[in-house]
Amino acid sequence: MNKVYSRDMKVLSFIIEKSIKIKLSMVEKDKLDAGIRQNLNFGHTVGHSIESFFGYTKYNHGEAVILGLMYESNIAYERNLIDKEYYNEIIKVLSPLVEQIIFSNDEINILLEYMKNDKKNKYGKISFILPVGRGKVNIFYDVEEELIIKAILNDYKKELVNPVEIPVKFDMNSFEGQRQQLKVRLAELENQGITLGNPEYDSVYAALQRVNQAEREYKKSLLGADQGQKMA
């Protein structure tokens, strides 16, 4: 997982390619989104509500869904659908990928309203795809609001005994990989007529500047270490 956390492009490309193949396979089997394709919605019920709450500016889609995966895994654990070991594994792997925000009760009520208006709902009930075992999910329409609220209020970092630390050591490949990802996103936004002054554009642009600055500092540290070795 360290290569994922450090954004190793070779590893990420493999994961992305495999994910696309899995999704294509499910879409081909269920073009009307009425069966197996719904399994892809794990994490999306809460994730979509978070995206809507922040107006699609604070978290990108993937980050919001990662938060949704953690919250919805907590619901599954509280309902005894998965055991503690598997639940902890999910949280330990996902929590370093996105910074969790602690919502107030009033904010959670707004999230609930977004969930209640989700297009996936049926029978007037919020639809959840929840894990029921390792690599297995099922659909539920009877999740109690109290469980949803409890899951969102939970502080996932505090409950981990040995949380995963994101590696702080970089190499030139990781800088270039991050820079290319950010440049691609900026180009996508610009193609939509979105430029400086837009919250998402400004955020991506600032992230690009931080990567460039981190790379410059990294090069300086290498130069300093090299000079030190020569003097020794």
Side-chain angles (χ1 to χ4, degrees), residues 62-128:
E63 292 169 334
V65 171
I66 288 171
L67 287 173
L69 290 168
M70 292 195 292
Y71 294 137
E72 294 177 24
S73 293
N74 181 268
I75 292 172
Y77 170 66
E78 292 292 336
R79 296 192 69 171
N80 296 315
L81 299 175
I82 57 175
D83 60 27
K84 184 70 171 177
E85 180 182 359
Y86 184 39
Y87 168 63
N88 282 342
E89 184 179 334
I90 292 171
I91 301 305
K92 188 172 183 178
V93 168
L94 295 179
S95 59
L97 295 171
V98 61
E99 188 65 32
Q100 181 192 3
I101 186 169
I102 304 300
F103 292 96
S104 69
N105 287 320
D106 287 341
E107 289 171 334
I108 291 176
N109 286 332
I110 296 174
L111 293 176
L112 284 169
E113 287 304 311
Y114 281 122
M115 290 182 222
K116 290 175 181 176
N117 288 286
D118 195 293
K119 65 180 182 180
K120 301 186 300 298
N121 296 343
K122 288 183 180 179
Y123 323 115
K125 302 289 186 180
I126 300 175
S127 168
F128 279 95

Side-chain angles (χ1 to χ4, degrees), residues 117-170:
N117 288 286
D118 195 293
K119 65 180 182 180
K120 301 186 300 298
N121 296 343
K122 288 183 180 179
Y123 323 115
K125 302 289 186 180
I126 300 175
S127 168
F128 279 95
I129 298 295
L130 300 177
V132 294
R134 190 173 294 273
K136 299 177 182 179
V137 296
N138 211 336
I139 191 165
F140 296 85
Y141 295 103
D142 61 346
V143 176
E144 302 87 345
E145 280 194 14
E146 291 77 9
L147 273 185
I148 303 173
I149 294 170
K150 182 180 178 181
I152 297 175
L153 284 172
N154 194 36
D155 187 340
Y156 294 93
K157 296 255 180 169
K158 285 184 177 179
E159 70 179 22
L160 289 175
V161 177
N162 296 305
V164 175
E165 294 294 334
I166 297 179
V168 295
K169 183 178 181 181
F170 292 98

Side-chain angles (χ1 to χ4, degrees), residues 38-54:
Q38 294 182 18
N39 292 347
L40 298 171
N41 291 327
F42 176 30
H44 284 64
T45 298
V46 179
H48 283 162
S49 74
I50 292 173
E51 285 183 295
S52 298
F53 180 85
F54 288 109

Side-chain angles (χ1 to χ4, degrees), residues 204-220:
V204 176
Y205 183 81
L208 178 60
Q209 301 311 305
R210 288 196 299 273
V211 169
N212 291 335
Q213 179 61 32
E215 182 181 29
R216 287 192 290 270
E217 293 176 359
Y218 177 71
K219 287 180 177 178
K220 285 182 181 178

